[in-house]
Amino acid sequence: MQAVLDQVVLMTDAASPVEQAGASRADRAMERYACGDADAFAELYDELAPRLYRFAHRWTRSRSAAEDTVQQTLLQMHAARQRFVRGGAVLPWAYAISRRLLIDLGRRGGREELRADGGRDPEEAGAAPSPEDALHQRREEAEARRDLAALPAGWREAFELVKFEGLSVAETAEALGITRGMVKIRTHRATAALREAVALRRREALLEPVAHGAARGDEPGNAGEGGRSR
């Protein structure tokens, strides 16, 4: 997961300057490629492939399925490249193709269930944390995945494209085939639901020691084992 969902308040609706620059480079590369410049494909691939892979991997939790989705998406774009409108945005088109492929994959039973252990790609592994930190991180990531998976599909798709992929509201609307207003509503509702899920877990974590203490009778004024009055 790109970020544990208890940090969702730090996410913004707008793409970063780096993401915006990448989108502009992808648009220019696609325009050149559509006009017959075969060399532009390498640049287009460099800009699109990592984004599409992240998107597909979050959906499938399968490295091979994500890689296949990227290749199929680019093949479809290649076949339809001459229909690309000059001055258009390539990211919404690419994500729309990828999303359709993933939906078809899911209908064929190819989508893997989100894993409870929050497993990550080996590529995402950094410096080895302590066993305690690793266990805590895995639990947080598993909870974050469950929270995200529990959202209605429409909310989750809009949230992922805006928050994780850095698409604008307009681009997300084009990719999903809905209005900009609906993108804003779905993203807002997803964000609120995720925040509430995190807040609920925090409240439960605070109350758990109290509940356990009460069950053992460890309240002020109560004697513990071996402390009974004679």
Side-chain angles (χ1 to χ4, degrees):
M1 176 77 59
Q2 182 172 325
V4 177
L5 293 178
D6 63 358
Q7 296 176 338
V8 73
V9 292
L10 301 178
M11 298 178 181
T12 59
D13 288 330
S16 70
V18 173
E19 289 169 331
Q20 291 173 341
S24 297
R25 288 193 297 270
D27 291 342
R28 291 193 296 270
M30 185 65 216
E31 190 168 303
R32 286 163 38 216
Y33 188 52
C35 292
D37 182 359
D39 293 338
F41 179 78
E43 183 178 348
L44 182 67
Y45 182 91
D46 289 343
E47 295 296 337
L48 293 185
R51 292 171 176 257
L52 295 175
Y53 176 84
R54 289 195 307 268
F55 178 65
H57 190 267
R58 276 199 306 273
W59 189 295
T60 63
R61 304 309 306 159
S62 166
R63 183 171 183 172
S64 61
E67 290 174 345
D68 288 345
T69 300
V70 172
Q71 297 304 318
Q72 290 298 318
T73 299
L74 292 171
L75 281 173
Q76 290 196 20
M77 292 176 67
H78 167 76
R81 65 191 184 282
Q82 294 180 345
R83 297 199 298 271
F84 182 75
V85 179
R86 291 176 61 88
V90 71
L91 283 178
W93 183 36
Y95 280 114
I97 294 173
S98 182
R99 176 173 173 266
R100 286 196 298 270
L101 289 168
L102 290 166
I103 290 173
D104 289 343
L105 178 64
R107 287 171 178 165
R108 297 195 303 269
R111 176 174 179 170
E112 296 181 10
E113 293 297 327
L114 296 177
R115 293 179 293 187
D117 65 358
R120 299 187 305 172
D121 251 350
E123 297 174 355
E124 297 174 0
S130 68
E132 294 80 7
D133 289 343
L135 179 60
H136 178 68
Q137 183 176 355
R138 288 177 64 185
R139 285 175 175 170
E140 283 191 329
E141 290 181 348
E143 290 167 348
R145 292 183 192 283
R146 285 194 292 268
D147 291 342
L148 191 61
L151 294 175
W155 298 11
R156 183 175 63 252
E157 290 176 345
F159 180 87
E160 288 184 341
L161 289 176
V162 173
K163 301 297 188 178
F164 291 165
E165 299 303 327
L167 268 66
S168 68
V169 169
E171 290 171 336
T172 301
E174 184 177 344
L176 298 180
I178 59 179
T179 65
R180 298 182 187 185
M182 187 58 68
V183 170
K184 292 179 180 178
I185 290 172
R186 291 181 180 181
T187 305
H188 172 75
R189 289 177 176 172
T191 302
L194 294 171
R195 283 174 172 164
E196 178 58 29
V198 172
L200 178 60
R201 280 201 302 275
R202 286 176 173 172
R203 289 196 297 269
E204 291 174 344
L206 290 173
L207 293 174
E208 186 175 359
V210 176
H212 286 178
R216 294 194 307 266
D218 298 339
E219 296 184 4
N222 288 350
E225 290 186 9
R228 296 175 182 173
S229 59
R230 301 286 182 182

